[in-house]
């Protein structure tokens, strides 16, 4: 039976790329939880988890198109240093947030710093990568009215924010 919407799903996972590098894992931080049907996880991941039974394990491979999309060269821009506040640290690997004209927040990472300008990349860090998940479904329960109202899972003793 498929997991319905508005359920709190708890799972362990390890995410690797095609070369076996671990990209993310619940190993040290404890299980991952989300509310089903709310777009909190990748759609193909949620679809795969939704047909699992509690206590089972599964491997899932997502091509880039079903993960964070293909890498888009148009999302890489070169901008003048004058576009950054004076207190910004302009180093390769630094992550910042920009806002588009509609007020939508857009994360980016600095990929190159030159004398007059900076190259920034708005692609998701996992764009263009095949994602390999080792999944273990631990629990499924009804989301509480408070969790649904807040839009996220609360801890065992209520919300913590």
């Amino acid at each position: 039976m498929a997991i319905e919407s508005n359920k709190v799903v708890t799972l362990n996972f390890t995410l690797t790329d095609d070369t076996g590098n671990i990209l993310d894992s619940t190993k040290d931080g404890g299980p991952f939880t989300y509310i089903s049907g709310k777009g909190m996880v990748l759609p193909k991941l949620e679809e795969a988890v939704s047909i699992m039974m509690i206590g089972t394990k599964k491997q899932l491979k997502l091509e880039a198109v079903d993960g964070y999309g293909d890498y888009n060269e148009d999302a890489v821009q070169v901008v003048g240093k004058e576009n950054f506040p004076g207190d910004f640290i302009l180093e390769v690997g630094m992550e910042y947030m920009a806002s588009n004209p509609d007020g939508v927040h857009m994360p980016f990472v600095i990929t190159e710093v030159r004398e007059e300008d900076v190259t920034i990349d708005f692609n998701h860090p996992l764009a263009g990568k095949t994602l390999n998940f080792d999944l273990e479904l631990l629990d499924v329960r009804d989301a509480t009215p408070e969790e649904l109202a807040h839009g996220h899972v609360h801890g065992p003793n209520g919300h913590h924010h």
Side-chain angles (χ1 to χ4, degrees), residues 79-97:
V79 296
K81 284 185 175 178
E82 71 276 1
N83 291 296
F84 293 90
D87 61 345
F88 265 43
I89 299 171
L90 298 177
E91 293 178 0
V92 172
M94 296 300 296
E95 297 178 19
Y96 291 108
M97 191 73 66

Side-chain angles (χ1 to χ4, degrees), residues 31-154:
F32 175 72
T33 58
Y34 66 92
I35 300 175
S36 59
K38 300 296 184 189
M40 296 177 162
V41 297
L42 296 168
K44 294 285 185 179
L45 173 61
E46 184 164 6
E47 182 180 309
V49 171
S50 76
I51 57 173
M52 292 176 68
M53 301 285 292
I54 293 172
T56 61
K57 296 181 179 184
K58 181 180 210 167
Q59 291 186 327
L60 174 68
K61 182 175 191 159
L62 295 181
E63 298 300 326
V65 68
D66 292 321
Y68 292 95
D70 292 323
Y71 188 84
N72 180 0
E73 290 292 338
D74 293 335
V76 178
Q77 299 177 10
V78 177
V79 296
K81 284 185 175 178
E82 71 276 1
N83 291 296
F84 293 90
D87 61 345
F88 265 43
I89 299 171
L90 298 177
E91 293 178 0
V92 172
M94 296 300 296
E95 297 178 19
Y96 291 108
M97 191 73 66
S99 295
N100 72 12
D102 297 327
V104 175
H105 295 293
M106 302 167 31
F108 67 89
V109 64
I110 295 175
T111 59
E112 187 175 1
V113 179
R114 289 180 296 277
E115 195 169 315
E116 299 292 323
D117 53 43
V118 179
T119 303
I120 58 176
D121 187 347
F122 287 97
N123 283 290
H124 188 281
L126 298 178
K129 295 185 186 286
T130 299
L131 306 176
N132 301 290
F133 289 90
D134 285 324
L135 303 165
E136 179 183 15
L137 182 60
L138 300 175
D139 191 36
V140 178
R141 66 168 173 81
D142 291 333
T144 66
E146 185 179 54
E147 289 170 325
L148 293 172
H150 290 187
H152 59 261
V153 178
H154 293 162

